[in-house]
Amino acid sequence: MKNNKLLKISAVVIPMVLVGIMVYLFLSFQKRKEKTEALKNVPVFSLTTINGSSFTQHNLANDKIKVIVYFSPGCHFCQAEAEELSKNYQDYQNIQWIWVASEPLNEIKGFAQQHNLSNQNNIIWCHDKMAALYRKLAMNSIPYFLVYNKNNHLIKRNSGVIKLEKLINAADENK
């Protein structure tokens, strides 16, 4: 009798759990798809530069390719990316670089100075308070790169380490 009752309960509970899991996965997929769609054009954002001024999507250069780099000053991969940019900066002056981190402004500023990139006109160093942009864009790692063309359309996105040359080649191919 006990086994019969257990079978009846299992026959109801197991399908309900499976349907619940399927609904959850479907909704999660839809949410992720919406965030990916939002990346196709430069999103609305508001950041603070290391100089304390506001930086939004309206401050992006209209005549340049834009590379948004989400990083962490303590990340060894991010340090390698900054070092590569520092060494080859002369090759990338036609690009607007927006480096964004959620760490305190003084850490971001120190990172920029350490790599001799703090005083470059086309590199903007920004603080993302409470990692709002990171969450909004459904980023999933650091470093994270978004490359936009002159019309602010997404050309390439990359999660994790990548040679800057590959990013720029993708931008050049989509001119």
Side-chain angles (χ1 to χ4, degrees), residues 149-167:
N149 66 13
K150 294 176 183 181
N151 298 320
N152 294 333
H153 298 298
L154 183 67
I155 299 169
K156 182 164 183 66
R157 76 180 187 173
N158 189 79
S159 177
V161 179
I162 188 171
K163 288 279 191 188
L164 296 182
E165 183 179 329
K166 284 187 178 182
L167 280 178

Side-chain angles (χ1 to χ4, degrees), residues 34-53:
E34 288 172 11
K35 288 185 176 184
T36 301
E37 286 292 317
L39 292 175
K40 286 190 175 183
N41 295 308
V42 172
V44 174
F45 63 86
S46 180
L47 303 167
T48 304
T49 68
I50 58 174
N51 299 325
S53 61

Side-chain angles (χ1 to χ4, degrees), residues 32-168:
R32 184 128 181 108
K33 186 177 177 184
E34 288 172 11
K35 288 185 176 184
T36 301
E37 286 292 317
L39 292 175
K40 286 190 175 183
N41 295 308
V42 172
V44 174
F45 63 86
S46 180
L47 303 167
T48 304
T49 68
I50 58 174
N51 299 325
S53 61
S54 177
F55 187 82
T56 70
Q57 72 280 0
H58 301 295
N59 300 108
L60 294 172
N62 291 327
D63 59 338
K64 292 184 178 188
I65 292 170
K66 278 89 47 195
V67 178
I68 299 174
V69 182
Y70 208 98
F71 77 104
S72 173
C75 165
H76 296 292
F77 298 120
C78 302
Q79 292 170 10
E81 298 287 2
E83 194 61 37
E84 182 182 347
L85 179 58
S86 181
K87 286 179 184 174
N88 300 306
Y89 175 75
Q90 67 282 356
D91 298 335
Y92 303 126
Q93 292 183 30
N94 61 334
I95 297 169
Q96 184 179 34
W97 297 87
I98 301 93
W99 285 70
V100 184
S102 57
E103 282 77 9
L105 280 171
N106 64 332
E107 289 183 34
I108 298 169
K109 188 180 277 191
F111 181 89
Q113 291 169 344
Q114 174 187 352
H115 296 287
N116 300 316
L117 296 169
S118 60
N119 294 320
Q120 305 301 340
N121 291 332
N122 63 323
I123 302 177
I124 295 97
W125 296 90
C126 298
H127 177 251
D128 181 19
K129 188 174 183 178
M130 307 284 288
L133 183 64
Y134 186 84
R135 289 193 318 271
K136 180 179 185 176
L137 300 179
M139 295 177 179
N140 56 11
S141 72
I142 292 177
Y144 197 94
F145 297 87
L146 297 169
V147 182
Y148 290 92
N149 66 13
K150 294 176 183 181
N151 298 320
N152 294 333
H153 298 298
L154 183 67
I155 299 169
K156 182 164 183 66
R157 76 180 187 173
N158 189 79
S159 177
V161 179
I162 188 171
K163 288 279 191 188
L164 296 182
E165 183 179 329
K166 284 187 178 182
L167 280 178
I168 305 317

